[in-house]
Amino acid sequence: MRILVSNDDGYNAPGIEALVRALSGLGEITVVAPETNHSGASNSLTLNRPLSVRTAANGFHYVNGTPSDCVHVALTGGLMPDRPDLVVSGINNGANMGEDTLYSGTVAAASEGYLFGIPSIAFSLAEKGWAHIEDAARAARQVVERQLAAPMGAVLLNVNIPSRRFEDLAGYVVTRLGKRHPSEPVVRSTTPYGDTVYWIGPVGQAADAALGTDFHAVAQGCVALTPLRLDLTQHEQLDAMRGWARGLAA
């Protein structure tokens, strides 16, 4: 069994170190992760400069690029002699629920594997700060073990784990994505040279945390398992759009 591990917090983040330790013994593990933190990088690829790959003392490979770069290079650049059976991303420092998944570099790394037809799982710790990261890694191992024992095909799975002791987790729940309110406003500041700069503000609060959502599951102490898809087509609007388009000039 060959497992490719990546993340968006960087190759030396506690989350990826804990994840690799937890997955030890399940197969041949290759780590290819960003050199520095790329939270919020989404599915971006670096196209304006070449990428370099280096190897840390612990054997982790790191790339001076985005999470998607890392998985793309690992799969097509000869870093792995054989195609992996599974791509795993995380464990992220903070939740990736609702619309977070559109911005998340953690989810993007898994998405890149999914685009190559490889089952892929993104793991996130629901609260920042790395509290109970070893417990979260233990839960992640259970999910990976289940995937290896009963493969789901080319699944893209988003997993959010409450920050609590493993023994206090309330189970595993399959969910849909919830929704957030709009993000908080940008924070305006001034540099020492008098230039105005803006910091992107924090994410908004949950707007849809109803029963069945990832927000609700995590709030109840459950590990939220959300299968994702990358087809952005609004299928319900296709017929209406065809009628609308007939009014366009030829």
Side-chain angles (χ1 to χ4, degrees):
M1 189 64 60
R2 296 171 295 276
I3 303 173
L4 172 62
V5 179
S6 191
N7 74 347
D8 74 354
D9 290 319
Y11 75 97
N12 58 354
I16 197 170
E17 293 175 345
L19 181 60
V20 170
R21 286 193 298 270
L23 299 184
S24 176
L26 294 183
E28 179 182 333
I29 298 174
T30 301
V31 177
V32 185
E35 182 177 16
T36 59
N37 188 303
H38 275 77
S39 296
S42 189
N43 296 84
S44 59
L45 291 171
T46 300
L47 304 178
N48 61 347
R49 59 174 176 81
L51 298 168
S52 62
V53 181
R54 295 181 172 84
T55 304
N58 62 0
F60 290 7
H61 303 294
Y62 58 93
V63 180
N64 61 339
T66 68
S68 294
D69 289 334
C70 294
V71 175
H72 196 89
V73 169
L75 297 178
T76 67
L79 295 185
M80 302 185 71
D82 298 298
R83 178 185 174 94
D85 302 288
L86 181 68
V87 174
V88 178
S89 179
I91 299 170
N92 189 63
N93 184 22
N96 280 304
M97 300 187 289
E99 293 89 343
D100 301 343
T101 55
L102 296 174
Y103 301 99
S104 168
T106 304
V107 175
S111 299
E112 192 69 15
Y114 177 76
L115 288 171
F116 279 89
I118 301 169
S120 301
I121 307 174
F123 290 104
S124 299
L125 186 63
E127 295 180 15
K128 291 184 178 292
W130 305 119
H132 302 295
I133 185 60
E134 297 296 338
D135 298 279
R138 185 174 171 185
R141 180 183 172 106
Q142 286 199 338
V143 174
V144 170
E145 286 179 329
R146 180 59 181 161
Q147 167 61 23
L148 298 182
M152 286 277 292
V155 65
L156 175 58
L157 183 60
N158 186 42
V159 181
N160 283 274
I161 307 169
S163 181
R164 55 173 62 187
R165 295 190 312 161
F166 181 81
E167 294 77 11
D168 294 332
L169 293 173
Y172 298 81
V173 178
V174 177
T175 69
R176 64 176 175 86
L177 294 178
K179 295 183 183 300
R180 287 193 188 275
H181 282 296
S183 296
E184 297 296 323
V186 296
V187 178
R188 182 172 173 169
S189 184
T190 304
T191 71
Y193 307 101
D195 298 319
T196 300
V197 294
Y198 301 88
W199 290 94
I200 297 296
V203 298
Q205 299 300 311
D208 177 8
L211 179 65
T213 66
D214 46 6
F215 289 105
H216 184 273
V218 168
Q220 298 303 308
C222 298
V223 177
L225 311 172
T226 310
L228 303 179
R229 67 179 182 182
L230 299 182
D231 179 5
L232 298 180
T233 306
Q234 178 57 277
H235 293 275
E236 293 80 3
Q237 289 186 352
L238 287 175
D239 287 341
M241 182 61 66
R242 292 186 184 102
W244 178 87
R246 283 194 289 270
L248 295 172

